[in-house]
Amino acid sequence: SQGGLVAFGCVLRELHETARRANRREILWEPGDKFRLVVLDGASGTAVLDLAVPFWIKHALVSPDGRRILFSQEGPWERQRMFIGEIATGTYRPLREQADGASIGHEFWLSDGRVAYHGRKDRTSFLGVISPDTGERSERPVPGNGHYAHFHISPDNRFAVTDGEIGPTELSAASLASEPLRFVRVAEHHWDRS
């Protein structure tokens, strides 16, 4: 939430129940008219935006200035995943086109209004940053094994941290000033999944 706004994606209860009963999450990946993107005023509970979208939404995030919403189409990474919308008009568009074969996700706002994300292309992982205003982007290769991971960047945009890209049980950090990015393990975790 930002500036008292709260964002989330909704799915029609019957569709969710069907997917749960069938134990088939992919049912939710099928396009349709059963999904909504909602932004609420946190103080009043009033919907500022209630928009029908043709896909299941995750990662709905309000921009630092409260004007935009960033969201992701849930499902296979090969689909167009990241979208940005204008809260005032309810219009949205792809944030970064994926026609080049990149798979992207785990998007989040930076304090300066740009968006960061993680991706893979041609078997190489990368950490990307894009300006929603200009489309200017940089995608820096990330050393690692291509494990599923999340990235975050510090509020001052100086450091990146990841949970699993370098090693599946590692929390690693890198200075964004380094070229190439050099991640160092700062913690390790283990647990028994039984």
Side-chain angles (χ1 to χ4, degrees):
S1 91
Q2 184 65 26
L5 298 178
V6 179
F8 53 93
C10 301
V11 61
L12 191 66
R13 180 180 304 206
E14 291 83 14
L15 180 62
H16 188 268
E17 286 299 313
T18 298
R20 186 185 60 76
R21 279 193 305 273
N23 197 25
R24 290 189 51 226
R25 185 177 181 181
E26 63 273 12
I27 289 172
L28 296 171
W29 298 344
E30 297 169 6
D33 62 354
K34 298 175 176 28
F35 309 100
R36 301 196 76 74
L37 173 62
V38 179
V39 178
L40 296 178
D41 179 307
S44 69
T46 304
V48 177
L49 177 67
D50 186 353
L51 181 67
V53 291
F55 46 79
W56 185 23
I57 293 174
K58 291 290 201 157
H59 309 169
L61 304 165
V62 176
S63 64
D65 64 9
R67 295 182 308 120
R68 293 181 169 146
I69 186 162
L70 175 66
F71 57 98
S72 173
Q73 174 180 203
E74 192 62 22
W77 277 51
E78 294 74 29
R79 292 183 183 176
Q80 179 65 50
R81 284 190 50 103
M82 290 190 317
F83 294 86
I84 188 160
E86 301 295 327
I87 293 174
T89 64
T91 58
Y92 65 93
R93 62 177 170 79
L95 177 66
R96 183 220 186 268
E97 295 285 348
Q98 290 181 237
D100 63 355
S103 299
I104 54 177
H106 303 152
E107 59 288 331
F108 59 95
W109 289 104
L110 298 177
S111 59
D112 62 7
R114 293 179 301 155
V115 175
Y117 54 92
H118 170 244
R120 284 185 286 285
K121 182 179 176 192
D122 300 327
R123 302 168 78 66
T124 300
S125 293
F126 60 82
L127 177 61
V129 174
I130 189 168
S131 166
D133 294 319
T134 66
E136 181 180 337
R137 74 175 191 249
S138 68
E139 294 176 340
R140 298 177 65 188
V142 174
N145 53 21
H147 281 270
Y148 175 87
H150 295 91
F151 284 86
H152 281 284
I153 295 178
S154 61
D156 61 7
N157 297 325
R158 293 179 48 218
F159 300 97
V161 70
T162 180
D163 66 343
E165 181 63 27
I166 308 308
T169 62
E170 294 182 11
L171 181 66
S172 304
S175 166
L176 291 174
S178 67
E179 192 59 53
L181 289 175
R182 291 187 186 95
F183 282 86
V184 177
R185 182 177 62 208
V186 293
E188 192 163 2
H189 58 83
H190 298 280
W191 66 90
D192 182 0
R193 292 183 184 236
S194 59

